[in-house]
Structure formats: C-alpha cells, structure tokens
Amino acid sequence: MLLEGKIVFITGASKGIGRATALVCAKHGALLAINGRNEEQLVSLADEIEEVSNKRPLILSYDVTNIDEMKKAFQLIHREYKRLDVLVNNAGMLYDSLLGFIQPSRLEQTMAVNLNAVIYHMQYAARLMLRQKRGSIINVSSIFGRFGEVGQVAYSASKAAVIGATQSAAKELASSNIRVNAVAPGFIETDMTAQIPLEKFKERLASIKMGRIGQPEEVANTILFLASDLSSYITGQIIGVDGGMVV
C-alpha cells in the first residue's frame, strides 16, 4: 500500500491514463478526488474504485478551464479531507493541424486545457500542501513536448510548456518539501490514439524500440511511483514512458 491514507486529486480521470491512475492509486490505499467533464463516467469510475478499495472518491465534475469551478473543487477537497497530498494534472486535449492552418480558437483552447489549467491547479494545490509542508505534484506532458512532431505545433508547444512549468515549480516548492515532476508518455493505447488512421498508427508503432504500444497502466505505475514516498528525493524530473520511441 504505497499511498495508504494519502489524499490524491486526479484531473481528467474519466478515461485513459487518468482512469488507470485513479484505479492504481485506489488499490494502493489512496483516498481520491476525481475530475472530468462527464459526470456519468466519473460515477461509473467511482463505483469501480469503491469496489476495489471500499472507499468512495470525491467526484468533481467540471471543465478544468473554468477557474471558478476549480476553486470550488479545491474548497471541497479541503472541506472533505482537510489536506491534499498528491495532485495529478492529467486532463488534456490533442489538436492536429499543420502550420498555416492552425485556428486561433483551437490554439487558445489547447493552451487553456493543456497549460493554463495545469498551472492554476498547481497553484491551488500548493496552497493546501504548504500547510503541511509536504506533497507531490505530477504533471502529464508528452514525448511530443520533448521532441516535437509534424502537425503537432500547438499540442507540442503546450506540453513543452508543461515541462518548463514543472521544473520552475519544483525549484519554488522544494524548500517546503513539495516535489514536482512530470511524465512524458509516448504512444499509449487510449481513446486518443484509437482515432489515428491505420497507416499513421503503423508508422508510430514502427518507431518504438520495444515493438508495442504502451498501456495506460504503465504510465499510471510511473505516476504511482512519483506520488509515493519511494520518490522522496526526486523533483524537477521528466520521466519518459515511451518504450524507447524515436520521434
């Protein structure tokens, strides 16, 4: 039980990496707060979490770009649990577009979800964590945030910025024993990758040295490590979970 009694807040928890992370954390004893826009999916996840852990998570259904709703969520966490030990900034969106065709509204939305929401959630989480002088924040970036990709200027830029925000926050909060790290997943089997055309899928798969697509649970296990005390002396790091993928 690596997270026994710890309070863990996960954004974008209704599916994919977020959902896998919620279940892994629950199995390791965490008390959860789960976020997503689809309340029905969150309720279904909450039922599954309760089944594996006998603990009902706090459901926080809101759009991560809505700052007023975000504030209310952290107030509810404080009211329910009195503290926060771990924040997992997982909510994100993927926008495909070549240079010359990037729409201003989609660029703004990508930055609002993938970057601004990450910074604001870190800010509110840090306020709670500073009270107990300890905590762990894990941001989900991407291999494209490290190396870029054709047709992914907006997405790659947002995820690269998450890396910069992670490393800066790590320096700010280290003296208060609050660790800030990021994971940079590669090609992971999620709803997002399921939409990729077959030829592109094969191309991506061929670029992975381990010869297979990654599973959400493999990213979740890395997040579990960073959330737990096993990583007590690790901060400001970006851990690739990509099977040796070459972009």
Side-chain angles (χ1 to χ4, degrees):
M1 291 289 190
L2 293 176
L3 300 179
E4 185 65 45
K6 288 186 182 291
I7 312 303
V8 179
F9 178 25
I10 303 168
T11 69
S14 58
K15 56 187 178 180
I17 292 170
R19 186 177 185 281
T21 300
L23 289 169
V24 165
C25 289
K27 290 173 184 176
H28 280 270
L31 294 166
L32 291 168
I34 53 175
N35 156 266
R37 289 184 299 175
N38 188 317
E39 188 165 2
E40 185 178 337
Q41 288 180 339
L42 290 178
V43 170
S44 176
L45 173 60
D47 291 340
E48 193 169 348
I49 288 170
E50 191 170 17
E51 188 175 321
V52 300
S53 69
N54 293 317
K55 299 168 186 174
R56 187 74 179 176
L58 183 62
I59 294 175
L60 302 169
S61 181
Y62 66 93
D63 187 321
V64 293
T65 64
N66 188 320
I67 295 176
D68 289 335
E69 291 300 312
M70 185 192 308
K71 288 180 182 178
K72 290 177 184 177
F74 279 97
Q75 288 169 353
L76 282 171
I77 290 171
H78 182 255
R79 189 181 309 156
E80 182 76 15
Y81 297 128
K82 307 302 180 187
R83 72 179 198 277
L84 179 64
D85 299 301
V86 179
L87 168 68
V88 181
N89 264 318
N90 170 72
M93 64 168 288
L94 178 66
Y95 171 46
D96 290 300
S97 184
L98 294 169
L99 277 175
F101 301 95
I102 297 173
Q103 300 173 10
S105 62
R106 297 300 299 276
L107 176 59
E108 290 172 10
Q109 185 184 18
T110 298
M111 293 300 175
V113 173
N114 292 357
L115 175 60
N116 297 359
V118 167
I119 292 173
Y120 284 123
H121 277 81
M122 282 201 294
Q123 183 164 269
Y124 286 112
R127 290 176 183 176
L128 291 180
M129 292 174 178
L130 284 168
R131 299 181 182 190
Q132 71 238 20
K133 296 291 183 182
R134 66 178 292 115
S136 177
I137 296 172
I138 303 108
N139 298 323
V140 178
S141 180
S142 167
I143 191 171
F144 294 160
R146 300 175 70 198
F147 303 109
E149 173 68 338
V150 174
Q152 298 292 345
V153 168
Y155 180 76
S156 297
S158 69
K159 291 299 188 177
V162 166
I163 290 174
T166 296
Q167 293 173 325
S168 293
K171 290 181 177 181
E172 283 191 28
L173 298 173
S175 62
S176 297
N177 199 32
I178 299 170
R179 299 177 293 106
V180 188
N181 294 287
V183 294
F187 198 38
I188 308 299
E189 190 170 16
T190 63
D191 289 350
M192 194 180 291
T193 55
Q195 300 170 16
I196 296 174
L198 182 59
E199 285 306 310
K200 188 66 175 178
F201 185 96
K202 291 179 179 178
E203 181 184 323
R204 291 266 173 88
L205 199 60
S207 72
I208 302 171
K209 295 301 183 184
M210 291 185 73
R212 65 174 178 85
I213 192 169
Q215 296 302 310
E217 291 76 15
E218 293 176 300
V219 183
N221 285 334
T222 306
I223 292 172
L224 171 66
F225 166 71
L226 292 172
S228 77
D229 292 338
L230 292 177
S231 58
S232 59
Y233 200 54
I234 298 174
T235 195
Q237 302 304 305
I238 315 302
I239 300 181
V241 188
D242 57 32
M245 186 177 180
V246 179
V247 177

